[in-house]
Amino acid sequence: ETGVTQTPRHLVMGMTNKKSLKCEQHLGHNAMYWYKQSAKKPLELMFVYNFKEQTENNSVPSRFSPECPNSSHLFLHLHTLQPEDSALYLCASSQEVVGTTEAFFGQGTRLTVV
Amino acid sequence: QKEVEQNSGPLSVPEGAIASLNCTYSDRVSQSFFWYRQYSGKSPELIMSIYSNGDKEDGRFTAQLNKASQYVSLLIRDSQPSDSATYLCASDANSNSGYALNFGKGTSLLVTP
């Protein structure tokens, strides 16, 4: 396994379901991120974890709940989502060193809320 | 609101030509800039990073940074049909975390045979 891996690749869920997205990085990085990518919009930062501590919650609704048990794993728990939450959810990781913030992305989870 | 602006395109260039992609950013304190390539249905792939004013070359790609003008560009020489993708410009977000990125909407590039 190399890089950043996300599962599942595709997910269809009803508005009353609970599901979780998983991300694992094999790069030895100390920071992990969740981004949302919707059509016609820039990538939107959702959450940042630095050394397992959440350092940013970018005004994300509480129906999205992140979890970072260690510096290699990141989860996004989903609960009572809305159809407008359908998007590509991307996990990324980086090594936080002053002066460089190269982030590497996983393959993404294509989420459809019905 | 800190923003990264890109022309959405599509930018169409013939095979073998130079493709020029441009980006402006609003946050004067941004220090790090990145170009990502994203094929349809795939995730963004980092292709270039630049931190200092001037040019940085890597194979067929050249990134250019002008901090005074708050302008970043990406040149692709000898464009190939396989370069057809959306190119995302990003800058460091200078958020509380210090290390997240602000992304533009991306420029769609089409290289025609």
Side-chain angles (χ1 to χ4, degrees):
Chain A
E1 289 280 7
T2 58
V4 181
T5 56
Q6 289 184 242
T7 55
R9 297 292 304 277
H10 301 273
L11 178 62
V12 179
M13 59 184 289
M15 288 189 283
T16 58
N17 291 160
K18 289 184 182 180
K19 296 287 185 183
S20 296
L21 309 185
K22 179 183 176 182
C23 176
E24 183 174 1
Q25 60 99 358
H26 308 273
L27 300 170
H29 289 164
N30 57 18
M32 297 187 76
Y33 313 82
W34 280 114
Y35 284 89
K36 175 184 178 182
Q37 189 173 37
S38 304
K40 309 295 184 186
K41 289 186 177 181
L43 275 159
E44 301 171 56
L45 178 67
M46 299 176 72
F47 301 104
V48 181
Y49 277 83
N50 183 358
F51 290 103
K52 302 187 302 177
E53 298 298 321
Q54 186 180 133
T55 56
E56 183 147 350
N57 173 341
N58 215 21
S59 301
V60 180
S62 60
R63 57 186 184 268
F64 295 92
S65 175
E67 178 189 359
C68 188
N70 55 62
S71 58
S72 298
H73 294 85
L74 185 64
F75 295 88
L76 187 63
H77 303 300
L78 314 173
H79 177 50
T80 59
L81 295 191
Q82 303 299 310
E84 59 264 29
D85 297 322
S86 298
L88 180 66
Y89 289 84
L90 291 160
C91 173
S93 71
S94 69
Q95 182 64 21
E96 292 204 356
V97 176
V98 173
T100 175
T101 53
E102 292 183 351
F104 297 88
F105 286 87
Q107 311 95 314
T109 295
R110 175 67 62 183
L111 174 67
T112 303
V113 181
V114 296
Chain B
Q1 179 74 16
K2 301 170 185 174
E3 293 185 345
V4 176
E5 299 284 348
Q6 294 180 257
N7 188 322
S8 61
L11 173 66
S12 182
V13 300
E15 184 174 358
I18 296 175
S20 178
L21 304 164
N22 305 313
C23 168
T24 59
Y25 59 94
S26 63
D27 189 353
R28 284 199 164 273
V29 301
S30 292
Q31 296 293 317
S32 307
F33 304 89
F34 308 90
W35 284 99
Y36 286 81
R37 177 176 62 199
Q38 187 173 23
Y39 292 112
S40 179
K42 302 294 186 181
S43 62
E45 173 192 8
L46 179 66
I47 55 172
M48 288 289 285
S49 56
I50 186 165
Y51 308 103
S52 304
N53 278 329
D55 295 0
K56 179 181 177 183
E57 186 174 320
D58 184 0
R60 296 187 296 112
F61 299 100
T62 298
Q64 299 174 317
L65 174 59
N66 183 325
K67 291 185 179 180
S69 302
Q70 296 177 237
Y71 178 89
V72 191
S73 66
L74 178 70
L75 301 177
I76 306 174
R77 290 181 299 281
D78 188 24
S79 296
Q80 301 297 309
S82 59
D83 295 324
S84 298
T86 297
Y87 289 80
L88 306 176
C89 176
S91 69
D92 56 305
N94 281 294
S95 61
N96 291 335
S97 69
Y99 297 104
L101 298 177
N102 272 334
F103 282 87
K105 292 182 181 180
T107 298
S108 175
L109 173 66
L110 177 63
V111 180
T112 55

